[in-house]
Amino acid sequence: MPQYILGIESSCDETAAAVVADGRHLLANVIASSAPIHRLYGGVVPEIASREHLQAIVPVIQEAMQTAKLEPHQLTGIAVCSGPGLLGSLIVGVAAAKALAAAWQKPLLAVHHLAAHVAANYLSGDLTPPFLALIVSGAHSHIVEVRSYTDFTILARTLDDAPGEAYDKISREIGLDYPGGPKLDKLSYQGDPQKLILPVSHVKDSPDFSFSGVKTAALNALNQAGQQAKQRGLPREAILSNADLAASFQAAIVETLVQKLKFFLEQKSYSTLVLAGGVSANSGLRSACEVLAEEYHVRLSMPPLQFCTDNAAMTAAQGFYEWQAGHTAELDLSASAMWELGEVMPTSRSTD
Ligand code: KG4
Ligand code: ZN
């Protein structure tokens, strides 16, 4: 008998529900995004995101169950992303999951958002831990050793901005809509990556990342180009085009991530490298990692594009492995905006 997990995700601006069998086979995947509303403000407005989740959560779950053609009694458990993320957003998904777990008498499974991003890779192919993972999203940048489906050790992290955040900020400055990452990625192909030499940051005596330097350098270059253009009565794009900026920025971000991955691949012999998170959809990063994987003779796993950004299929997939490990949560589970990957969730309980 397959084990069916209903997954629920509401950590940022996507309200999502999905049903996955045995952590691998997708039966339903429903996503309602409030991004078009946030676009008006240039970024996610937490209060609006929470309100939109409230409106969408029940219909999204209903649609996922209908698409999967399952009755509640056929489910093995209900997995929910309970952190990290926007607290007001997380609370909506957690409340819905708790209500359903109580009403349907099913185990509740608390899933870490970044563990779920990694699990997006289980939805295609036959990937199994252990492996080295790069998790890059709008809010996080981690290099993680994944020892088993539920055992994570953070090897490096960003000390300031996440790459997705930097992409979104630069995009906004040049007039691209939120979320700008995918648009900047596309634009980069029309520009010259050598036009602007942006810093590839190194944190002294530490394996950690920093992206605020490259972000600030790109913003300064834009401002300087703007001033020079003004003095000469030209449009800013005559001095520095959006495409050249995008290409140079993408080159610097990808190089920073690749250099760091090389460092860890040289430290220990990993057989597999896994990409995860919204920024793993970046075409420059994906092709650079293909080259890297060949160079270091490691297998490379990257989620299909539709599972890179937030969705609940990844939550359901990770939920299955939490269930297998006996990690069930109590009905007093609360959302945790600041939950660290690899640590026990402050308020959840384990049956271990
Ligand atoms: O994982 P995700 O959906 O949400 C968080 O957990 O933060 O990631 C969203 C981030 C956004 O910052 C978005 O601009 C970025 O992922 N992103 C990209 C690309 N696709 C999405 N960044 C660069 N290139 C892309 N192709
Ligand atoms: Zn995410």
Side-chain angles (χ1 to χ4, degrees), residues 107-321:
L108 179 65
L109 305 155
V111 170
H112 191 287
H113 187 69
L114 299 184
H117 271 303
V118 171
N121 285 275
Y122 305 140
L123 293 163
S124 58
D126 56 359
L127 175 72
T128 53
F131 50 76
L132 183 72
L134 171 70
I135 312 173
V136 270
S137 71
H140 294 91
S141 183
H142 284 350
I143 292 184
V144 175
E145 186 170 313
V146 181
R147 293 214 192 82
S148 77
Y149 290 107
T150 57
D151 183 0
F152 305 86
T153 303
I154 300 175
L155 304 176
R157 71 182 70 226
T158 180
L159 298 178
D160 40 53
D161 300 331
E165 198 179 336
Y167 263 96
D168 293 343
K169 172 79 181 160
I170 301 300
S171 312
R172 197 167 67 192
E173 288 299 313
I174 59 171
L176 301 175
D177 277 347
Y178 168 82
K183 290 149 201 142
L184 203 79
D185 181 7
K186 212 167 156 199
L187 187 62
S188 72
Y189 289 92
Q190 293 165 29
D192 173 7
Q194 305 287 335
K195 175 76 183 183
L196 204 62
I197 303 301
L198 294 171
V200 173
S201 61
H202 296 280
V203 180
K204 200 167 176 279
D205 299 328
S206 158
D208 290 331
F209 300 100
S210 163
F211 291 101
S212 67
V214 61
K215 187 181 82 178
T216 308
L219 292 174
N220 286 346
L222 258 182
N223 286 338
Q224 277 166 15
Q227 278 165 10
Q228 282 174 23
K230 207 169 167 189
Q231 281 162 8
R232 292 159 60 184
L234 295 168
R236 192 264 301 152
E237 283 229 59
I239 307 283
L240 174 62
S241 73
N242 288 347
D244 284 345
L245 177 78
S248 307
F249 181 75
Q250 177 130 318
I253 296 275
V254 170
E255 187 54 26
T256 306
L257 294 170
V258 165
Q259 283 193 10
K260 205 58 81 172
L261 283 172
K262 278 188 180 171
F263 173 81
F264 285 103
L265 289 170
E266 277 161 20
Q267 297 275 307
K268 191 168 162 179
S269 81
Y270 293 98
S271 59
T272 309
L273 171 65
V274 168
L275 302 190
V279 182
S280 69
N282 185 268
S283 62
L285 179 63
R286 289 171 90 94
S287 30
C289 285
E290 275 166 7
V291 174
L292 186 72
E294 261 187 44
E295 192 184 333
Y296 283 81
H297 307 292
V298 292
R299 180 185 162 191
L300 177 66
S301 173
M302 304 186 280
L305 290 183
Q306 62 159 328
F307 298 128
C308 288
T309 44
D310 290 350
N311 64 84
M314 64 186 198
T315 317
Q318 182 62 21
F320 169 75
Y321 292 105

